[in-house]
Amino acid sequence: MPSMFPVLDMPQRLLMGAGPCNVHPRVLRAMACDVIGQMDPEMTACMDETAELYRQVFCTKNRHTLLVDGTARAAIEAALVSLVTPGMKVLVLRIGRFGLLLTEIVERAGGIVCPVDVPWGEVVQVENVKAAIEEHEPSLLVTVHGDTSTTTAQPLQAIGELCKEHGILFYVDATATLGGMPLLVDAWNIDVATGGLQKCLGGPPGSAPITMSERAVKAIMARRHDEAGIRGTAPQGDGPVIRSNYFDLAMIINYWSAERINHHTEATSMLYAAREAAQIALEEGLDARFLRHRKAGAAVAAGIRAMGLEVYGDDALRMSNVTGVWVPEGCDANRVRTLLRTEFEIEIVSSFGPLTGKIWRIGAMGVNAAKHKILLTLAAFEAVLAGENVPVVRGAGIDAARAAWEAQQ
Amino acid sequence: MPSMFPVLDMPQRLLMGAGPCNVHPRVLRAMACDVIGQMDPEMTACMDETAELYRQVFCTKNRHTLLVDGTARAAIEAALVSLVTPGMKVLVLRIGRFGLLLTEIVERAGGIVCPVDVPWGEVVQVENVKAAIEEHEPSLLVTVHGDTSTTTAQPLQAIGELCKEHGILFYVDATATLGGMPLLVDAWNIDVATGGLQKCLGGPPGSAPITMSERAVKAIMARRHDEAGIRGTAPQGDGPVIRSNYFDLAMIINYWSAERINHHTEATSMLYAAREAAQIALEEGLDARFLRHRKAGAAVAAGIRAMGLEVYGDDALRMSNVTGVWVPEGCDANRVRTLLRTEFEIEIVSSFGPLTGKIWRIGAMGVNAAKHKILLTLAAFEAVLAGENVPVVRGAGIDAARAAWEAQQ
């Protein structure tokens, strides 16, 4: 006899961590649409529409804008394994854990990592980038936009200028900011940017948008090697074969273009989710959406401070959608998180590496960048902290958050 | 102003191709469950339950049974990039297009491919495998179980015995057979097997189950290199670093085990889909499910023959869930497919490589391995062919299919 389990019955928890966050109900419903064949005209039309929606989300005219079938990390790897050739020098800006992830992926793709490090909580200054470019002469510069591990956002525009001047390809991991903070792919000279659904776009993890400039596509297509079994008469590239088949962007570009050369089977339900998430974001309007995320971040920070706690990091550098909170001396950080979850059905999270157990992170992204969700989270947080004998000013956090939400422009 | 698109409104098409096929409505509903945090206890419990369900689906006691977040091809690449070390000799059995895909992935992972080829439509004989093992002394043998491009299924048991005798790791790509044809991972000495949801399991593409023997896990963990930023004090492997981060099974194993070392964010909605699909398969019972797929395959073949057309391949070798049909002389194969889609909302597909335009493929998998769907498909197919002046015996296909469904044991 097979051993079975009860019907799936997940709690309705408020996810105020660093992602995934709660999914917009329209996105959940979109996934219930019937699956159709991967080459049916309605399917390819849906792929084309989704590409057009993400062009707008990425603020780009890039023809080659598509989805990688996997979580945000899948698109990062697709970008890097397709851009990095063995022995290529890659400048990696590292402002937190996810800069270390980029390092890891570049190394595994055979690249030589030239790191530019800053202490966690800071960002890389443009003059240091310039010096590093002159020292290492890299072919590619890669960075995270918003690193949730440190809650800081790396300014990108001046770096894009530098890359353009020096003829360096520029990759940005925008997993945690796409749809929540401005990311102007064309205006900032970003060659490749990737995102995820499960942060500011209010979708589930499992599909990852990517956009590529013509310059990047040229570099990638120079490595075109269609797989045996489906290779036609199209000319192949003379560059080194991309080390991955699943993440071979040259093949994925052909799959998403009018050529429609068969590659993997598109993850249909996740495609529907990605399309719906982008549509919702654009209906709201990107500027309105960025303002809502700023209001949310300002409200969380103001609430935390009024309560009597300290916000992690430099206000000028912080992301608007994830806020770090220093754990007060003597407080059991994990116990606070557990009580929030078990008594209030609210999730907040810890961080990584040097910040493990040192800060909590409160996210307010996508549908959760909402006034009521922040106010209720602060109410619950205050109650739990008070119960743990942390000295908090009762009621002050909520009042300050309400005011900050309204004040933020 | 953003350019928007109408509400997602996909057709309710009957997908009788080679996958994806229609998704069980319970699976579609499961994806609408609320997302929860990736380390929340209900989430890790859901992962553990899903692992247990897939142990049963794979007929194995393998502790390390989990999901790769991507389509079926993602799990194939995860298996191969984690097993193949640069310079390793890999015997690749090639009975169709998907054997060529294995070749491609092994090569990109740095392996040396020793191919064993047969003409399309045939399978590899065990004595040829034996000879190839003796000639090449490979460390790994890889094969597709059911290759939908040729509709043939490679017998595995004797090859598993050979691999065991010779101390060779044995990988099987069971994308197209898992949940539809017997795959006895433990009894057949398979070290690693992977599947997909979108064929016989009746789920959407985008999540890919994998199971690994202790022997395979030992080889993989010898290559353990946790990424910087989350590396703890656990001992690391001394084998070569796996060339992919996303597909690093050593890290994914740790993520799915009690250690719960953070890796990618689990694709939550697809996890729900995978859990539900396995639960449905086990509720039906694997033997009943295999019989239903055999009945379906027998009904399609009998119907095609009674109509006056020819079935592709050798009956003794054919998969039960996908049937090839020779395109009659002078018939426009694509036009027939288009008419089926536009007038009957039924999808059937062509094939690849030497079989492009030569055969149609009719799949009957998952919820589509159903008597009524086959009878209605045959009715539509007959009508379209007759309209195209292909001589078919009107009504004979349906009658033969009804009888064959009942006769099949």
Side-chain angles (χ1 to χ4, degrees), chain A residues 32-379:
Chain A
C33 278
D34 281 300
V35 164
I36 55 170
Q38 64 183 121
M39 295 296 180
D40 282 357
E42 296 87 351
M43 179 69 181
T44 53
C46 183
M47 291 167 74
D48 290 345
E49 288 170 5
T50 304
E52 174 50 28
L53 292 168
Y54 279 96
R55 273 180 211 111
Q56 297 174 55
V57 170
F58 277 119
C59 303
T60 183
K61 297 202 186 315
N62 284 340
R63 183 154 69 105
H64 297 297
T65 301
L66 46 84
L67 301 177
V68 174
D69 283 353
T71 64
R73 182 180 290 235
I76 300 172
E77 184 153 323
L80 294 180
V81 78
S82 299
L83 290 171
V84 174
T85 51
M88 175 189 276
K89 277 190 183 175
V90 183
L91 205 65
V92 183
L93 311 192
R94 307 198 294 195
I95 63 171
R97 173 195 163 185
F98 293 101
L100 296 173
L101 174 61
L102 299 184
T103 302
E104 189 82 18
I105 298 173
V106 168
E107 281 175 351
R108 290 184 188 218
I112 296 166
V113 169
C114 312
V116 182
D117 287 311
V118 290
W120 281 32
E122 297 181 16
V123 298
V124 181
Q125 299 305 314
V126 68
E127 50 277 15
N128 295 347
V129 177
K130 193 159 187 280
I133 287 174
E134 280 158 9
E135 184 189 344
H136 299 293
E137 301 184 339
S139 306
L140 174 67
L141 188 154
V142 307
T143 188
V144 175
H145 185 203
D147 196 314
T148 54
S149 68
T150 65
T151 75
T152 47
Q154 174 66 45
L156 300 173
Q157 186 165 15
I159 297 174
E161 286 294 333
L162 270 181
C163 287
K164 194 181 174 191
E165 267 170 42
H166 289 81
I168 296 167
L169 287 170
F170 184 26
Y171 164 74
V172 173
D173 165 10
T175 302
T177 54
L178 187 67
M181 288 179 70
L183 177 79
L184 306 177
V185 165
D186 286 358
W188 295 352
N189 295 298
I190 297 168
D191 289 296
V192 180
T194 62
L197 299 191
Q198 78 274 20
K199 311 265 183 185
C200 300
L201 284 167
S207 177
I210 182 171
T211 187
M212 294 162 268
S213 71
E214 284 306 317
R215 207 157 64 113
V217 170
K218 199 176 156 202
I220 292 165
M221 294 313 282
R223 304 175 70 182
R224 175 177 180 169
H225 286 88
D226 301 346
E227 70 189 51
I230 52 165
R231 193 178 298 155
T233 54
Q236 303 291 301
D238 51 13
V241 176
I242 293 168
R243 281 191 174 181
S244 168
N245 173 289
Y246 191 73
F247 292 135
D248 182 322
L249 285 175
M251 285 201 280
I252 299 174
I253 283 170
N254 288 333
Y255 178 54
W256 277 73
S257 71
E259 290 195 63
R260 299 280 172 213
I261 299 179
N262 189 273
H263 185 241
H264 65 288
T265 302
E266 182 59 19
T268 326
S269 307
M270 289 305 306
L271 169 74
Y272 298 163
R275 181 188 185 279
E276 192 72 8
Q279 182 103 340
I280 293 168
L282 297 171
E283 280 173 18
E284 180 176 9
L286 290 180
D287 288 340
R289 197 170 177 92
F290 299 150
L291 174 60
R292 179 162 62 80
H293 281 82
R294 282 202 305 280
K295 281 173 174 280
V300 172
I304 292 300
R305 284 173 174 146
M307 219 180 267
L309 301 181
E310 258 185 276
V311 169
Y312 173 84
D314 179 340
D315 275 358
L317 306 175
R318 290 194 300 103
M319 299 166 71
S320 57
N321 47 320
V322 185
T323 304
V325 180
W326 285 104
V327 176
E329 195 68 37
C331 175
D332 181 339
N334 281 338
R335 192 175 139 83
V336 167
R337 291 203 297 121
T338 302
L339 289 169
L340 267 173
R341 191 185 73 238
T342 53
E343 295 205 45
F344 295 87
E345 286 293 337
I346 296 174
E347 181 195 59
I348 69 169
V349 297
S350 182
S351 190
F352 300 100
L355 292 175
T356 310
K358 295 281 199 314
I359 64 169
W360 294 291
R361 292 178 300 155
I362 301 178
M365 299 189 266
V367 284
N368 290 354
K371 191 174 175 179
H372 70 286
K373 294 187 181 181
I374 289 158
L375 299 180
L376 295 172
T377 300
L378 290 170

